[in-house]
Amino acid sequence: DIFFFNDTATTEIYTEQIVGSVRCVQETGVGLSCVFLMGENTKDVKPLAIRLDSGDVFIMSKHARTCYHGVPRVIEDSLDAEPFENYLKEKYQGEEHAK
């Protein structure tokens, strides 16, 4: 799964519905940094809070595939947009739609 986290993006705390012989689940986040909660296969266990930054990849295999996980909040102002803005300026320099 690829998630784009803007300033209002979150996900529920959920488990994957594993179909067939899926070996691992990959979560990739782009945009703002977020707090990713990784729990167990029951909500009775307190989840581990992990900071994920834009571009980070989180892979869950074996037992972790069936554990509860999710993103309850994003971290405001955590994305440095300057590299993207510079790329767009260089790519579209002189074109009508460049900002």
Coordinates of all heavy atoms in Angstrom, one line a residue:
D1 N 0.8 -1.2 0.0 CA 0.0 0.0 0.0 C 0.9 1.2 0.0 O 1.9 1.3 0.7 CB -0.9 0.0 1.2 CG -1.8 -1.1 1.3 OD1 -2.2 -1.6 0.2 OD2 -2.2 -1.6 2.4
I2 N 0.4 2.3 -0.7 CA 1.1 3.6 -0.7 C 0.1 4.6 -0.1 O -1.0 4.7 -0.6 CB 1.6 4.0 -2.1 CG1 2.7 3.0 -2.6 CG2 2.2 5.4 -2.0 CD1 3.2 3.2 -4.0
F3 N 0.5 5.3 0.9 CA -0.3 6.3 1.5 C 0.3 7.7 1.3 O 1.5 7.8 1.5 CB -0.5 6.0 3.0 CG -1.2 4.7 3.3 CD1 -0.5 3.6 3.6 CD2 -2.6 4.7 3.3 CE1 -1.1 2.4 3.9 CE2 -3.2 3.5 3.6 CZ -2.5 2.3 3.9
F4 N -0.6 8.6 1.0 CA -0.2 10.0 0.9 C -0.7 10.7 2.2 O -1.9 10.7 2.4 CB -0.7 10.8 -0.3 CG -0.3 12.2 -0.3 CD1 1.0 12.6 -0.5 CD2 -1.3 13.2 -0.1 CE1 1.3 14.0 -0.5 CE2 -1.0 14.5 0.0 CZ 0.3 14.9 -0.2
F5 N 0.2 11.3 3.0 CA -0.3 11.9 4.2 C -0.2 13.4 4.1 O 0.9 14.0 4.1 CB 0.6 11.4 5.4 CG 0.4 10.0 5.7 CD1 1.3 9.0 5.4 CD2 -0.8 9.6 6.3 CE1 1.1 7.7 5.7 CE2 -1.0 8.2 6.6 CZ -0.1 7.3 6.3
N6 N -1.4 14.0 4.0 CA -1.4 15.5 4.1 C -1.8 15.9 5.5 O -1.7 15.0 6.4 CB -2.4 16.1 3.1 CG -3.8 15.6 3.3 OD1 -4.2 15.1 4.4 ND2 -4.7 15.7 2.3
D7 N -2.1 17.1 5.7 CA -2.3 17.6 7.1 C -3.6 17.0 7.8 O -3.7 17.2 9.0 CB -2.3 19.1 7.2 CG -3.3 19.7 6.3 OD1 -3.9 19.1 5.5 OD2 -3.5 21.0 6.5
T8 N -4.4 16.3 7.1 CA -5.6 15.7 7.7 C -5.7 14.2 7.6 O -6.7 13.6 8.0 CB -6.9 16.3 7.1 OG1 -6.9 16.0 5.7 CG2 -7.0 17.8 7.3
A9 N -4.7 13.6 7.0 CA -4.7 12.2 6.7 C -4.4 11.3 8.0 O -3.4 11.6 8.7 CB -3.7 11.8 5.6
T10 N -5.2 10.3 8.2 CA -5.0 9.3 9.2 C -5.6 8.0 8.7 O -6.3 8.0 7.7 CB -5.6 9.7 10.6 OG1 -7.0 9.8 10.4 CG2 -5.1 11.0 11.1
T11 N -5.3 6.9 9.4 CA -6.0 5.7 9.1 C -6.5 5.1 10.4 O -6.0 5.4 11.5 CB -5.0 4.6 8.4 OG1 -4.1 4.2 9.4 CG2 -4.3 5.2 7.2
E12 N -7.5 4.2 10.2 CA -8.0 3.5 11.4 C -6.9 2.5 11.9 O -6.0 2.2 11.1 CB -9.3 2.7 11.0 CG -10.3 3.6 10.4 CD -11.4 4.0 11.4 OE1 -11.5 3.2 12.4 OE2 -12.1 4.9 11.2
I13 N -7.1 2.0 13.1 CA -6.2 0.9 13.5 C -6.9 -0.3 13.0 O -8.1 -0.6 13.3 CB -6.1 0.9 15.0 CG1 -5.6 2.3 15.6 CG2 -5.2 -0.2 15.5 CD1 -4.2 2.7 15.0
Y14 N -6.2 -1.1 12.2 CA -6.8 -2.3 11.5 C -5.8 -3.4 11.3 O -4.6 -3.2 11.6 CB -7.4 -1.8 10.2 CG -6.3 -1.4 9.2 CD1 -5.9 -2.3 8.2 CD2 -5.7 -0.1 9.2 CE1 -4.9 -1.9 7.3 CE2 -4.8 0.2 8.3 CZ -4.4 -0.7 7.3 OH -3.4 -0.3 6.5
T15 N -6.3 -4.5 10.9 CA -5.5 -5.7 10.5 C -5.7 -5.9 9.0 O -6.7 -5.6 8.5 CB -5.8 -6.9 11.3 OG1 -7.2 -7.3 11.0 CG2 -5.6 -6.8 12.8
E16 N -4.7 -6.5 8.4 CA -4.8 -6.8 7.0 C -5.6 -8.1 6.8 O -5.5 -9.0 7.7 CB -3.4 -7.1 6.4 CG -2.4 -5.9 6.5 CD -2.8 -4.8 5.5 OE1 -3.5 -5.0 4.5 OE2 -2.4 -3.6 5.8
Q17 N -6.4 -8.1 5.8 CA -7.1 -9.4 5.5 C -6.2 -10.1 4.5 O -6.2 -9.8 3.3 CB -8.5 -9.0 4.8 CG -9.4 -8.2 5.8 CD -9.7 -8.9 7.1 OE1 -10.0 -10.1 7.1 NE2 -9.5 -8.2 8.2
I18 N -5.5 -11.1 5.0 CA -4.5 -11.8 4.2 C -5.2 -12.8 3.3 O -6.0 -13.6 3.8 CB -3.5 -12.5 5.1 CG1 -2.8 -11.5 6.1 CG2 -2.5 -13.3 4.3 CD1 -2.0 -10.4 5.4
V19 N -4.9 -12.7 2.0 CA -5.5 -13.6 1.0 C -4.4 -14.5 0.4 O -3.4 -13.9 0.0 CB -6.2 -12.8 -0.1 CG1 -6.8 -13.7 -1.1 CG2 -7.3 -11.9 0.5
G20 N -4.6 -15.8 0.4 CA -3.7 -16.7 -0.2 C -2.4 -16.7 0.5 O -2.3 -16.7 1.7
S21 N -1.3 -16.8 -0.2 CA 0.0 -16.9 0.4 C 0.8 -15.6 0.3 O 2.0 -15.6 0.0 CB 0.8 -18.0 -0.4 OG 0.9 -17.7 -1.7
V22 N 0.2 -14.5 0.7 CA 0.9 -13.2 0.8 C 2.1 -13.4 1.8 O 1.9 -13.7 2.9 CB 0.0 -12.1 1.2 CG1 0.8 -10.8 1.4 CG2 -1.1 -11.9 0.1
R23 N 3.3 -13.1 1.3 CA 4.5 -13.3 2.2 C 4.7 -12.1 3.1 O 5.1 -12.2 4.2 CB 5.7 -13.6 1.4 CG 5.7 -14.9 0.8 CD 7.0 -15.2 0.1 NE 7.0 -16.5 -0.4 CZ 8.0 -17.1 -0.9 NH1 9.1 -16.5 -1.0 NH2 7.9 -18.4 -1.3
C24 N 4.4 -10.9 2.6 CA 4.6 -9.7 3.4 C 3.7 -8.6 3.0 O 3.1 -8.7 1.9 CB 6.0 -9.2 3.4 SG 6.5 -8.6 1.8
V25 N 3.5 -7.6 3.9 CA 2.7 -6.5 3.6 C 3.7 -5.3 3.7 O 4.4 -5.1 4.6 CB 1.6 -6.3 4.6 CG1 0.8 -5.0 4.4 CG2 0.6 -7.5 4.6
Q26 N 3.6 -4.4 2.6 CA 4.5 -3.3 2.6 C 3.7 -2.0 2.7 O 2.7 -1.8 1.9 CB 5.3 -3.3 1.3 CG 6.1 -2.0 1.1 CD 6.8 -2.0 -0.3 OE1 7.3 -3.0 -0.7 NE2 6.8 -0.8 -0.9
E27 N 4.0 -1.1 3.6 CA 3.4 0.2 3.8 C 4.4 1.2 3.4 O 5.5 1.2 3.9 CB 2.9 0.4 5.2 CG 2.1 -0.7 5.8 CD 0.6 -0.7 5.3 OE1 0.2 0.4 4.8 OE2 -0.1 -1.7 5.5
T28 N 4.1 2.1 2.5 CA 5.0 3.2 2.1 C 4.2 4.5 2.3 O 3.1 4.6 1.8 CB 5.4 3.1 0.6 OG1 6.0 1.8 0.5 CG2 6.4 4.2 0.3
G29 N 4.8 5.4 3.0 CA 4.2 6.7 3.2 C 4.9 7.8 2.5 O 6.2 7.9 2.5
V30 N 4.2 8.7 1.8 CA 4.8 9.9 1.3 C 4.0 11.1 1.8 O 2.8 11.0 2.1 CB 4.8 9.9 -0.3 CG1 5.7 8.8 -0.8 CG2 3.4 9.7 -0.8
G31 N 4.7 12.3 1.8 CA 4.0 13.5 2.3 C 4.6 13.8 3.7 O 5.8 13.7 4.0
L32 N 3.7 14.2 4.6 CA 4.1 14.5 6.0 C 4.5 13.3 6.7 O 4.1 12.1 6.5 CB 2.9 15.1 6.7 CG 2.5 16.5 6.2 CD1 1.2 16.9 6.9 CD2 3.5 17.5 6.3
S33 N 5.4 13.5 7.7 CA 5.8 12.4 8.6 C 4.5 12.0 9.5 O 3.6 12.8 9.6 CB 6.9 12.8 9.6 OG 8.0 13.2 8.8
C34 N 4.6 10.8 10.0 CA 3.4 10.4 10.8 C 3.8 9.5 12.0 O 4.9 9.0 12.0 CB 2.4 9.6 9.9 SG 3.1 8.0 9.3
V35 N 2.9 9.3 12.9 CA 3.0 8.3 13.9 C 2.4 7.1 13.5 O 1.2 7.0 13.2 CB 2.4 8.8 15.2 CG1 2.5 7.8 16.3 CG2 3.0 10.1 15.7
F36 N 3.1 6.0 13.3 CA 2.6 4.7 12.9 C 2.6 3.8 14.2 O 3.6 3.7 14.9 CB 3.6 4.1 11.9 CG 3.2 2.8 11.3 CD1 2.3 2.7 10.3 CD2 3.6 1.6 11.9 CE1 1.9 1.5 9.8 CE2 3.3 0.3 11.4 CZ 2.4 0.3 10.3
L37 N 1.4 3.2 14.4 CA 1.3 2.3 15.6 C 1.3 0.9 15.1 O 0.6 0.5 14.2 CB -0.1 2.6 16.3 CG -0.2 3.9 17.0 CD1 -1.6 4.0 17.6 CD2 0.9 4.2 18.0
M38 N 2.2 0.1 15.7 CA 2.3 -1.3 15.4 C 1.9 -2.1 16.7 O 2.6 -2.0 17.7 CB 3.7 -1.6 15.0 CG 3.9 -3.1 14.5 SD 3.0 -3.4 13.0 CE 2.7 -5.1 13.1
G39 N 0.8 -2.9 16.6 CA 0.4 -3.6 17.8 C 0.6 -5.1 17.6 O 1.4 -5.6 16.8
E40 N -0.3 -5.8 18.3 CA -0.3 -7.3 18.2 C -1.6 -7.7 17.5 O -2.3 -6.9 17.0 CB -0.2 -7.9 19.6 CG 1.2 -7.9 20.1 CD 2.1 -8.9 19.4 OE1 1.6 -10.0 18.9 OE2 3.3 -8.7 19.3
N41 N -1.9 -9.0 17.6 CA -3.2 -9.5 16.9 C -4.4 -9.3 17.8 O -5.4 -9.8 17.5 CB -3.0 -10.9 16.4 CG -2.7 -11.9 17.5 OD1 -2.5 -11.5 18.6 ND2 -2.5 -13.1 17.1
T42 N -4.2 -8.6 18.9 CA -5.3 -8.3 19.8 C -5.2 -6.8 20.2 O -4.0 -6.3 20.3 CB -5.4 -9.2 21.1 OG1 -6.4 -8.7 21.9 CG2 -4.0 -9.2 21.8
K43 N -6.3 -6.1 20.5 CA -6.2 -4.7 20.9 C -5.9 -4.6 22.4 O -5.7 -3.5 22.9 CB -7.5 -4.0 20.6 CG -7.7 -3.8 19.1 CD -8.9 -2.9 18.8 CE -9.0 -2.6 17.3 NZ -10.1 -1.7 17.0
D44 N -5.7 -5.7 23.1 CA -5.4 -5.7 24.5 C -3.9 -5.4 24.8 O -3.6 -5.1 25.9 CB -5.7 -7.1 25.1 CG -7.1 -7.4 25.1 OD1 -8.0 -6.5 25.0 OD2 -7.5 -8.7 25.1
V45 N -3.1 -5.4 23.7 CA -1.6 -5.1 23.9 C -1.4 -3.7 23.4 O -1.8 -3.3 22.3 CB -0.8 -6.1 23.1 CG1 0.7 -5.8 23.2 CG2 -1.1 -7.5 23.5
K46 N -0.7 -2.9 24.2 CA -0.4 -1.5 23.9 C 0.5 -1.5 22.6 O 1.6 -2.2 22.6 CB 0.3 -0.8 25.0 CG 0.6 0.6 24.8 CD 1.3 1.3 26.0 CE 1.6 2.7 25.6 NZ 2.3 3.4 26.8
P47 N 0.2 -0.7 21.6 CA 1.0 -0.7 20.4 C 2.3 0.1 20.6 O 2.4 1.0 21.4 CB 0.1 -0.1 19.3 CG -0.8 0.8 20.1 CD -1.0 0.1 21.4
L48 N 3.3 -0.2 19.7 CA 4.5 0.6 19.7 C 4.3 1.7 18.7 O 3.9 1.5 17.6 CB 5.6 -0.4 19.1 CG 7.0 0.2 18.9 CD1 7.6 0.7 20.2 CD2 7.9 -0.8 18.2
A49 N 4.7 2.9 19.1 CA 4.6 4.1 18.3 C 5.9 4.3 17.5 O 7.0 4.4 18.2 CB 4.3 5.3 19.1
I50 N 5.9 4.4 16.2 CA 7.1 4.6 15.4 C 6.9 5.8 14.5 O 5.8 6.0 13.9 CB 7.3 3.3 14.5 CG1 7.4 2.1 15.3 CG2 8.5 3.5 13.6 CD1 7.2 0.8 14.6
R51 N 7.9 6.7 14.4 CA 7.8 7.8 13.5 C 8.2 7.3 12.1 O 9.3 6.8 11.9 CB 8.7 9.0 13.9 CG 8.7 10.1 13.0 CD 9.7 11.2 13.3 NE 9.7 12.2 12.3 CZ 9.7 13.5 12.4 NH1 9.6 14.0 13.7 NH2 9.8 14.3 11.4
L52 N 7.4 7.6 11.1 CA 7.7 7.3 9.7 C 7.8 8.6 9.0 O 6.9 9.4 9.1 CB 6.7 6.4 9.1 CG 6.6 5.0 9.6 CD1 5.5 4.2 8.9 CD2 7.9 4.3 9.6
D53 N 8.8 8.8 8.2 CA 9.0 10.0 7.4 C 8.7 9.7 6.0 O 8.6 8.6 5.6 CB 10.5 10.5 7.6 CG 10.8 11.0 9.0 OD1 9.9 11.7 9.6 OD2 11.9 10.6 9.5
S54 N 8.5 10.8 5.2 CA 8.2 10.6 3.8 C 9.2 9.7 3.1 O 10.4 10.0 3.2 CB 8.1 12.0 3.1 OG 7.7 11.9 1.8
G55 N 8.7 8.7 2.4 CA 9.6 7.8 1.7 C 10.0 6.6 2.5 O 10.5 5.6 1.9
D56 N 9.7 6.5 3.8 CA 10.0 5.4 4.5 C 9.1 4.2 4.1 O 8.0 4.4 3.7 CB 9.8 5.6 6.0 CG 10.9 6.4 6.7 OD1 11.9 6.7 6.0 OD2 10.7 6.8 7.9
V57 N 9.7 3.0 4.2 CA 8.9 1.8 3.9 C 8.9 0.9 5.1 O 9.9 0.7 5.8 CB 9.6 1.0 2.7 CG1 9.0 -0.3 2.5 CG2 9.7 1.9 1.5
F58 N 7.7 0.4 5.5 CA 7.6 -0.5 6.6 C 7.0 -1.8 6.1 O 6.0 -1.9 5.5 CB 6.6 0.2 7.6 CG 6.6 -0.4 9.0 CD1 7.5 0.0 9.9 CD2 5.7 -1.4 9.3 CE1 7.5 -0.5 11.2 CE2 5.6 -2.0 10.6 CZ 6.6 -1.5 11.5
I59 N 7.8 -2.9 6.4 CA 7.4 -4.2 5.8 C 7.0 -5.1 7.0 O 7.8 -5.2 8.0 CB 8.6 -4.8 5.0 CG1 8.9 -4.0 3.8 CG2 8.2 -6.3 4.6 CD1 10.1 -4.4 3.0
M60 N 5.9 -5.7 6.9 CA 5.4 -6.6 7.9 C 5.3 -8.0 7.3 O 4.7 -8.2 6.3 CB 4.0 -6.2 8.4 CG 4.0 -4.8 9.1 SD 2.3 -4.2 9.5 CE 1.7 -3.7 7.9
S61 N 6.0 -8.9 8.0 CA 6.0 -10.3 7.5 C 5.6 -11.3 8.6 O 5.6 -10.9 9.8 CB 7.4 -10.7 6.9 OG 8.4 -10.7 7.9
K62 N 5.4 -12.5 8.3 CA 5.0 -13.6 9.2 C 3.9 -13.1 10.1 O 2.8 -12.6 9.7 CB 6.2 -14.1 9.9 CG 7.3 -14.7 9.0 CD 8.4 -15.2 9.7 CE 9.4 -15.8 8.7 NZ 10.6 -16.3 9.3
H63 N 4.1 -13.2 11.4 CA 3.1 -12.8 12.5 C 2.6 -11.4 12.3 O 1.5 -11.1 12.5 CB 3.7 -13.1 13.8 CG 2.9 -12.5 15.0 ND1 1.7 -13.1 15.3 CD2 3.0 -11.5 15.8 CE1 1.2 -12.5 16.3 NE2 2.0 -11.4 16.6
A64 N 3.5 -10.4 12.0 CA 3.2 -9.0 11.9 C 2.1 -8.7 10.9 O 1.4 -7.7 11.1 CB 4.4 -8.2 11.6
R65 N 2.0 -9.6 9.9 CA 0.9 -9.3 8.9 C -0.5 -9.3 9.4 O -1.4 -8.6 8.9 CB 1.0 -10.4 7.8 CG 2.3 -10.4 7.0 CD 2.3 -11.5 6.0 NE 2.0 -12.8 6.7 CZ 1.6 -13.9 6.1 NH1 1.3 -13.9 4.8 NH2 1.3 -15.0 6.8
T66 N -0.7 -10.0 10.5 CA -2.0 -10.1 11.1 C -2.2 -9.2 12.4 O -3.2 -9.3 13.0 CB -2.4 -11.5 11.5 OG1 -1.4 -12.0 12.5 CG2 -2.3 -12.4 10.3
C67 N -1.2 -8.3 12.6 CA -1.3 -7.5 13.8 C -2.0 -6.2 13.5 O -2.0 -5.7 12.3 CB 0.1 -7.2 14.3 SG 0.9 -8.6 15.0
Y68 N -2.6 -5.6 14.5 CA -3.3 -4.3 14.3 C -2.2 -3.2 14.1 O -1.1 -3.2 14.7 CB -4.1 -3.9 15.6 CG -5.4 -4.6 15.7 CD1 -5.5 -5.8 16.4 CD2 -6.5 -4.1 15.0 CE1 -6.7 -6.5 16.4 CE2 -7.7 -4.8 15.1 CZ -7.8 -6.0 15.8 OH -9.0 -6.7 15.8
H69 N -2.5 -2.3 13.2 CA -1.6 -1.2 12.9 C -2.4 0.0 12.3 O -3.5 -0.2 11.9 CB -0.5 -1.6 11.9 CG -1.0 -2.1 10.6 ND1 -1.5 -3.4 10.5 CD2 -1.0 -1.5 9.4 CE1 -1.8 -3.6 9.2 NE2 -1.6 -2.4 8.5
G70 N -1.8 1.1 12.3 CA -2.5 2.3 11.7 C -1.7 3.6 12.0 O -0.7 3.6 12.6
V71 N -2.3 4.7 11.5 CA -1.7 6.0 11.6 C -2.7 6.9 12.2 O -3.6 7.4 11.6 CB -1.2 6.6 10.2 CG1 -0.7 8.0 10.4 CG2 -0.2 5.7 9.6
P72 N -2.6 7.2 13.6 CA -3.6 8.0 14.2 C -3.4 9.5 14.0 O -4.3 10.3 14.2 CB -3.4 7.6 15.7 CG -2.0 7.2 15.8 CD -1.7 6.6 14.5
R73 N -2.1 9.9 13.6 CA -1.9 11.3 13.4 C -0.6 11.5 12.5 O 0.3 10.7 12.5 CB -1.7 12.0 14.7 CG -0.5 11.7 15.5 CD -0.4 12.4 16.9 NE 0.0 13.8 16.7 CZ 1.3 14.2 16.8 NH1 2.2 13.4 17.1 NH2 1.6 15.5 16.6
V74 N -0.7 12.7 11.9 CA 0.5 13.2 11.1 C 1.2 14.2 11.9 O 0.7 14.8 12.8 CB 0.1 13.7 9.7 CG1 -0.5 12.6 8.9 CG2 -0.9 14.8 9.8
I75 N 2.4 14.5 11.5 CA 3.2 15.5 12.2 C 3.3 16.8 11.3 O 3.9 16.7 10.2 CB 4.7 15.0 12.5 CG1 4.5 13.7 13.3 CG2 5.5 16.0 13.1 CD1 5.8 12.9 13.5
E76 N 2.6 17.8 11.8 CA 2.5 19.1 11.0 C 3.9 19.6 10.6 O 4.8 19.5 11.4 CB 1.7 20.1 11.8 CG 0.3 19.7 12.0 CD -0.5 20.8 12.8 OE1 0.0 21.9 12.8 OE2 -1.5 20.4 13.4
D77 N 3.9 20.3 9.5 CA 5.2 21.0 9.0 C 6.4 20.1 9.0 O 7.5 20.5 9.2 CB 5.4 22.2 9.9 CG 4.3 23.2 9.8 OD1 3.7 23.4 8.8 OD2 4.0 23.8 10.9
S78 N 6.2 18.8 8.7 CA 7.3 17.9 8.7 C 7.9 17.5 7.3 O 8.8 16.8 7.2 CB 7.0 16.5 9.4 OG 5.9 15.9 8.8
L79 N 7.3 18.2 6.3 CA 7.8 17.9 4.9 C 8.5 19.1 4.4 O 8.0 20.2 4.4 CB 6.6 17.6 4.0 CG 7.0 17.4 2.5 CD1 7.9 16.1 2.4 CD2 5.8 17.2 1.7
D80 N 9.8 18.9 4.0 CA 10.6 20.0 3.4 C 10.2 20.0 1.9 O 10.7 19.1 1.1 CB 12.0 19.7 3.6 CG 12.9 20.8 2.9 OD1 12.4 21.8 2.5 OD2 14.1 20.6 2.9
A81 N 9.4 20.9 1.5 CA 8.9 21.0 0.1 C 10.0 21.6 -0.9 O 9.8 21.4 -2.1 CB 7.6 21.8 0.0
E82 N 11.0 22.2 -0.4 CA 12.0 22.9 -1.2 C 12.6 22.0 -2.3 O 12.6 22.4 -3.5 CB 13.1 23.5 -0.4 CG 14.0 24.4 -1.2 CD 15.0 25.1 -0.4 OE1 14.9 25.1 0.8 OE2 16.0 25.7 -1.0
P83 N 13.0 20.8 -2.0 CA 13.6 19.9 -3.1 C 12.6 19.7 -4.2 O 12.9 19.7 -5.4 CB 14.0 18.6 -2.4 CG 14.1 19.0 -1.0 CD 13.2 20.1 -0.7
F84 N 11.3 19.5 -3.9 CA 10.3 19.2 -4.9 C 10.0 20.5 -5.7 O 9.9 20.4 -6.9 CB 9.0 18.7 -4.2 CG 9.2 17.5 -3.4 CD1 9.1 17.5 -2.1 CD2 9.4 16.3 -4.1 CE1 9.3 16.4 -1.3 CE2 9.6 15.1 -3.3 CZ 9.6 15.2 -1.9
E85 N 10.0 21.6 -5.0 CA 9.7 22.9 -5.7 C 10.9 23.2 -6.7 O 10.6 23.6 -7.8 CB 9.6 24.0 -4.7 CG 8.3 23.9 -3.9 CD 8.2 24.9 -2.8 OE1 9.2 25.6 -2.5 OE2 7.1 25.0 -2.1
N86 N 12.1 23.0 -6.3 CA 13.3 23.2 -7.1 C 13.2 22.3 -8.3 O 13.5 22.7 -9.5 CB 14.6 23.0 -6.4 CG 14.8 24.1 -5.3 OD1 14.2 25.2 -5.4 ND2 15.6 23.8 -4.4
Y87 N 12.9 21.0 -8.1 CA 12.8 20.1 -9.2 C 11.7 20.6 -10.3 O 12.0 20.6 -11.5 CB 12.4 18.7 -8.7 CG 12.0 17.7 -9.8 CD1 12.9 17.1 -10.6 CD2 10.6 17.5 -10.0 CE1 12.5 16.2 -11.6 CE2 10.2 16.6 -11.1 CZ 11.2 16.0 -11.8 OH 10.8 15.1 -12.8
L88 N 10.6 21.0 -9.8 CA 9.5 21.4 -10.7 C 9.9 22.7 -11.4 O 9.6 22.8 -12.6 CB 8.2 21.7 -9.9 CG 7.5 20.4 -9.4 CD1 6.3 20.8 -8.5 CD2 7.1 19.5 -10.5
K89 N 10.6 23.6 -10.8 CA 11.1 24.8 -11.4 C 12.0 24.5 -12.5 O 12.0 25.1 -13.6 CB 11.7 25.8 -10.4 CG 10.8 26.5 -9.5 CD 11.5 27.3 -8.5 CE 10.5 28.0 -7.5 NZ 11.3 28.7 -6.4
E90 N 13.0 23.6 -12.3 CA 14.0 23.2 -13.3 C 13.3 22.5 -14.4 O 13.6 22.7 -15.6 CB 15.0 22.3 -12.7 CG 16.0 23.0 -11.8 CD 16.9 22.1 -11.1 OE1 17.1 21.0 -11.5 OE2 17.5 22.5 -10.1
K91 N 12.4 21.5 -14.1 CA 11.7 20.7 -15.1 C 10.8 21.6 -16.1 O 10.8 21.4 -17.3 CB 10.9 19.6 -14.5 CG 10.2 18.7 -15.5 CD 9.5 17.6 -14.8 CE 8.7 16.7 -15.7 NZ 9.4 15.6 -16.4
Y92 N 10.1 22.5 -15.5 CA 9.1 23.3 -16.3 C 9.5 24.7 -16.5 O 8.7 25.5 -16.9 CB 7.8 23.2 -15.5 CG 7.2 21.8 -15.5 CD1 7.1 21.2 -14.2 CD2 6.8 21.2 -16.6 CE1 6.6 19.9 -14.2 CE2 6.3 19.9 -16.5 CZ 6.2 19.2 -15.3 OH 5.7 18.0 -15.3
Q93 N 10.8 25.0 -16.3 CA 11.3 26.4 -16.5 C 10.9 26.9 -17.9 O 11.2 26.2 -18.9 CB 12.8 26.5 -16.3 CG 13.3 27.9 -16.4 CD 14.8 27.9 -16.0 OE1 15.4 26.8 -15.9 NE2 15.3 29.1 -15.8
G94 N 10.3 28.0 -18.0 CA 9.9 28.6 -19.3 C 8.6 28.1 -19.9 O 8.1 28.6 -20.9
E95 N 8.0 27.1 -19.3 CA 6.7 26.6 -19.8 C 5.6 27.3 -19.2 O 5.7 27.9 -18.1 CB 6.6 25.1 -19.5 CG 7.6 24.2 -20.3 CD 7.3 22.7 -20.1 OE1 6.2 22.4 -19.8 OE2 8.3 22.0 -20.2
E96 N 4.5 27.4 -19.9 CA 3.3 28.1 -19.5 C 2.8 27.7 -18.1 O 2.4 28.6 -17.3 CB 2.1 27.9 -20.5 CG 2.0 29.0 -21.4 CD 0.8 28.8 -22.3 OE1 -0.3 28.6 -21.8 OE2 1.0 28.7 -23.5
H97 N 2.7 26.5 -17.8 CA 2.1 26.0 -16.5 C 3.0 26.0 -15.3 O 2.7 25.6 -14.3 CB 1.5 24.6 -16.7 CG 2.4 23.6 -17.2 ND1 2.9 23.5 -18.5 CD2 3.0 22.6 -16.5 CE1 3.7 22.5 -18.6 NE2 3.8 21.9 -17.4
A98 N 4.3 26.5 -15.5 CA 5.2 26.5 -14.4 C 4.8 27.6 -13.4 O 4.3 28.6 -13.8 CB 6.6 26.8 -14.9
K99 N 4.9 27.3 -12.1 CA 4.5 28.2 -11.1 C 5.8 28.9 -10.5 O 6.8 28.4 -10.4 CB 3.8 27.5 -10.0 CG 2.5 27.0 -10.4 CD 1.7 26.4 -9.3 CE 0.3 26.0 -9.8 NZ -0.5 25.4 -8.8

